[in-house]
Amino acid sequence: MIWVSTGVALVMGLLISFIRVKASAKPTNTKKILIPPFAMSTGMLQFLYPASRLTWTEVAEALLIGAIFSIFLIKTSNFYEAEGQIYLQRSKAFFIVLFGILIVRTVAKFIIGGQIDIFETGGIFYLVAFGMIVPWRIAMYLKYKQVKSGIVPVEHLPQN
C-alpha cells in the first residue's frame, strides 16, 4: 500500500508541476489563489472517521511541519504585472522545492508508515499538506495584492 500511495504522490507532484507551468502563462486573480485551500478543507471530513483521529500533539506537529515547508514555497512564488494583468512568475527553484518536499514526505512515509496505522498516516500527511498550503496561499495573496496596488520590489519582476 505504501508503494501505491508513493506512486500516486509522484504522479501528483508531476501534475502540479505541469499545472504550475500552464498557470504561469495566464493571468491570475484572487479566486485562483484562494480557492485551493478552501477546496482542500473538505479533506477534514476524514477526521469524522474514528480511525483517522489524531492526538492534539500529532495535529500540532503536522501543522508545524507544513508551515515550515510552506516557507520554501512562499520564497519561490512571486508575481509581476504585464500589460495590465498579474502573472505568477515562473521559478526553477519552485520545482526543486516541490520535489524536495515530495522526497522528504516519501522518506517520512516509509519511516513512520510501518509504525502508525494507515488512517493516522493519511491524516498526518493531509495536515502537513494543509499546514503548507494555507500559509503559502495567504502569502501569495498578500504578494498579489502588493503587485496589484503597485507596491512590488524590483527583484520580483520577471527575469528573462
Side-chain angles (χ1 to χ4, degrees):
M1 189 62 144
I2 288 178
W3 290 103
V4 172
S5 62
T6 300
V8 169
L10 291 172
V11 169
M12 292 298 287
L14 290 171
L15 183 63
I16 289 169
S17 297
F18 180 72
I19 290 170
R20 173 77 180 229
V21 168
K22 286 190 77 158
S24 66
K26 297 177 184 175
T28 193
N29 59 43
T30 301
K31 286 182 186 177
K32 289 180 183 179
I33 295 169
L34 296 180
I35 286 178
F38 286 107
M40 188 178 174
S41 67
T42 59
M44 292 290 184
L45 293 173
Q46 72 181 307
F47 297 112
L48 295 175
Y49 182 60
S52 297
R53 294 189 186 143
L54 306 171
T55 67
W56 287 109
T57 305
E58 291 168 329
V59 169
E61 289 171 348
L63 291 174
L64 178 63
I65 290 168
I68 291 168
F69 284 161
S70 75
I71 294 168
F72 301 105
L73 294 172
I74 291 166
K75 294 286 186 190
T76 59
S77 298
N78 295 302
F79 297 92
Y80 67 95
E81 187 173 3
E83 301 169 6
Q85 300 284 344
I86 299 175
Y87 294 85
L88 184 60
Q89 183 175 333
R90 286 188 184 182
S91 169
K92 292 176 187 173
F94 175 81
F95 299 108
I96 294 167
V97 166
L98 183 66
F99 284 103
I101 290 170
L102 189 60
I103 289 166
V104 169
R105 179 189 180 280
T106 302
V107 169
K109 185 190 288 189
F110 279 104
I111 291 170
I112 69 169
Q115 301 169 0
I116 300 176
D117 180 74
I118 191 160
F119 294 106
E120 289 180 58
T121 304
I124 288 170
F125 283 107
Y126 168 81
L127 287 176
V128 168
F130 194 72
M132 183 173 58
I133 196 170
V134 169
W136 175 40
R137 290 301 176 133
I138 290 171
M140 285 177 69
Y141 175 72
L142 295 174
K143 289 179 180 183
Y144 172 81
K145 284 297 189 188
Q146 282 182 335
V147 172
K148 191 171 184 174
S149 67
I151 307 168
V152 59
V154 176
E155 67 267 74
H156 290 178
L157 295 176
Q159 302 162 355
N160 293 326

